[in-house]
Amino acid sequence: MSLQTLPKLATRESDVESESAPLLANANDHESETAFADTQTPVSKQDADSVEERVRFRDQHDETGSGSNHEVEGRVLIAEERRRAERELVRKLDHRLMPCLVVIFIMNYVSRSGITSARLKGLEHDLGLSDMQFDTVLAILYVSYCPAQIPSNMIINRVKRPSIYIGCCVVLWGLTSGSTSLTQGFSDIMWCRVLIGLPEAAFYPGAMYLLSRWYTRKELAFRSAILYFGSLISMAFSSLMAAAILANMENVMGIRAWRWLFIIEGAITVVVGISAMYILPDFPHNTRWLTPDERRLAQVRLAEDAGEADEDTAGDSAWQGVKDAITDPKVALFSIMMVTQLLGLSFVNFFPTITATLGYSTTVTLLIASPPWLVTSIACLFNAWHCDRTGERFFHIAIPWFGVMLGYIICIMTSNTAARYFSLYLMSLGYAGFALTLVWLSGAIPRPPAKRAAAIGLVNGFGNLGNAVGAYAWKAAWGPLYRPSMWIALISLIVTTILGLCIRTNLILANKKLDREQLENVKGAARERIEDAARLEGITFEEALERKKGFRYLY
């Protein structure tokens, strides 16, 4: 059996379950088959209407008793083929999409954070920067980085080839990062930081949106964690890379080691960007390295996941998506929560500086800054895997925040070297929760894609203002213990937790509203089928209806 037999019966796994187990899934038939049509193009309502006629005929045929064991066996075979084909599709995406995004994310963080490592080897002195000017250099990145994310995600939802768009942005920020090696003063490096924020703005929200166009909600958390794993690994990798370059490249060809750091990192980024244009997928309906049947299946499974096609209608313009996102209270709550969360985690931009307060040499400082991020990388993957398995969101994000708060409390209360180094592990674990924030948002704003793209850009763009404010929260004058900085970050995470609880409550109430509407709309033959299934299984009508339940928010 080939994939060509899948389109007409691709969503009929529920039928197999309803034949081999109790009758419960039969009530789901019309919803699952009308979600998409037998075409290679994005699913439309007109196509779904024709599929509904086929479903009605089939149901009438089944009610006459003309069904047979042979038909059931055929459905089982088709369902098995569907599951096998879907596993192959997901495996192909995992092997091609995820490694490419991880490598890009590594270079994204390396190019952005290289300046904090370069500070340890004379950048501040060579360019004649004061402490306030250095903090401004860090913060100015977000002046362009934050607002550019919204139009960037509007663009990526409209372009036909997001692989080309993302790849070009990677090349541009690689060239800009390499240009930092040529700076001679405060104004030069300020321009470089402003310009690098524009192409970098395209990546993380764009990558999250691209993942949401390929993976279902139960797959998205772990894949997003794999993506963010690249960022966490890069925090360790960038320190090791910086340690090697800064220790061995001083005055090679008459160039300072910190300048070589930007030259090498920029060159690697350009190569990665060019490669990404050929490796990354586009959208499910037009990716060149998938077969037509695989493209169709990719669309089908997303339609099943949300109960409607993952495509914009004629009225879903980019600007309408922005308007819908701005007027959604959930987006506002997520945006404010992202600001306070990133302010609470703003230590990351000063991690080498905080580690240096332990009293070791530059090379040793950079080396011991790596292990906390390696531990966090593993914790991030496990946390996301468990998040997918359980479908729970809030506590998988909030529990790592509690670890960060404990780390701040330890640092505030003691100056013991071992205790403060242990607190760095706790603080870094906060990013195991942060990695799931946009995953939670994607599930809370599932459709239409234009609104979801705008919401991701708004939340991540506005949220990065927390990083901009955080650049001034870790003043050199407050070192070496940075207790005022940690109080600011601690209070920010407390506020973040409260906002997260508000979002969770909002989604719980939204699910209860969907439950009431579903109960009110179950009438006639559909209600009778559910009641019959409940009697056969010896359960209540409400319990039977729970099994038939369609889309619900994850909280």
Side-chain angles (χ1 to χ4, degrees), residues 389-425:
R389 289 290 297 270
T390 61
E392 199 282 329
R393 292 293 187 257
F394 171 73
F395 288 106
H396 285 82
I397 298 174
I399 289 176
W401 296 341
F402 302 152
V404 181
M405 292 185 224
L406 179 59
Y408 285 145
I409 291 170
I410 291 173
C411 280
I412 289 170
M413 300 201 52
T414 181
S415 57
N416 179 271
T417 300
R420 288 176 67 83
Y421 186 58
F422 173 70
S423 73
L424 295 181
Y425 283 85

Side-chain angles (χ1 to χ4, degrees), residues 19 83 415:
E19 296 280 1
R83 284 191 287 267
S415 57

Side-chain angles (χ1 to χ4, degrees), residues 126-144:
D126 289 356
L127 300 185
L129 305 180
S130 66
D131 289 339
M132 179 61 72
Q133 286 178 323
F134 184 81
D135 292 342
T136 303
V137 167
L138 289 180
I140 199 66
L141 168 78
Y142 301 101
V143 171
S144 57

Side-chain angles (χ1 to χ4, degrees), residues 30 51 70 201 244 286 330 342 344 379 495 509:
H30 293 286
V51 176
H70 179 72
N286 68 341
K330 295 191 295 292
L342 285 175
V495 174
L509 294 175

Side-chain angles (χ1 to χ4, degrees), residues 132-328:
M132 179 61 72
Q133 286 178 323
F134 184 81
D135 292 342
T136 303
V137 167
L138 289 180
I140 199 66
L141 168 78
Y142 301 101
V143 171
S144 57
Y145 181 76
C146 294
Q149 293 188 38
I150 302 168
S152 176
N153 257 31
M154 292 168 64
I155 293 171
I156 202 171
N157 184 48
R158 292 296 171 182
V159 297
K160 293 183 178 180
R161 301 294 182 191
S163 58
I164 302 297
Y165 177 69
I166 291 176
C168 287
C169 289
V170 175
V171 170
L172 287 174
W173 92 54
L175 292 173
T176 309
S177 178
S179 299
T180 309
S181 64
L182 303 175
T183 56
Q184 299 297 324
F186 177 63
S187 60
D188 293 346
I189 199 167
M190 284 284 283
W191 274 112
C192 283
R193 296 289 288 179
V194 169
L195 293 176
I196 201 173
L198 293 173
E200 282 199 1
F203 177 64
Y204 185 55
M208 288 300 303
Y209 175 68
L210 191 61
L211 289 180
S212 73
R213 293 297 301 266
W214 285 99
Y215 291 103
T216 66
R217 288 180 300 153
K218 290 189 176 181
E219 299 166 345
L220 189 58
F222 186 65
R223 271 70 184 188
S224 299
I226 293 175
L227 170 62
Y228 209 77
F229 174 82
S231 173
L232 298 174
I233 283 293
S234 70
M235 294 180 191
F237 175 75
S238 64
S239 294
L240 296 175
M241 182 177 177
I245 295 173
L246 296 178
N248 297 292
M249 299 295 289
E250 182 65 30
N251 289 322
V252 172
M253 298 176 64
I255 301 173
R256 293 295 309 273
W258 68 263
R259 296 185 187 274
W260 275 114
L261 181 65
F262 290 108
I263 293 171
I264 294 171
E265 290 176 351
I268 295 173
T269 302
V270 169
V271 173
V272 169
I274 294 172
S275 302
M277 298 179 194
Y278 299 94
I279 298 173
L280 286 177
D282 295 307
F283 294 124
H285 66 276
N286 68 341
T287 292
R288 292 161 291 184
W289 43 264
L290 292 179
T291 67
D293 293 317
E294 286 173 329
R295 291 197 293 269
R296 184 184 302 122
L297 179 58
Q299 296 173 72
V300 163
R301 57 195 228 101
L302 290 179
E304 291 177 329
D305 187 49
E308 57 182 283
D310 192 34
E311 296 291 337
D312 292 321
T313 65
D316 293 326
S317 66
W319 286 112
Q320 184 61 43
V322 173
K323 180 180 177 181
D324 291 343
I326 291 174
T327 56
D328 192 326

Side-chain angles (χ1 to χ4, degrees), residues 4-5 56 102 153 173 188 200 266 296 335 404 464 473 545:
Q4 293 176 349
T5 63
R56 188 179 298 112
V102 167
N153 257 31
W173 92 54
D188 293 346
E200 282 199 1
R296 184 184 302 122
S335 297
V404 181
N464 269 283
L545 187 63

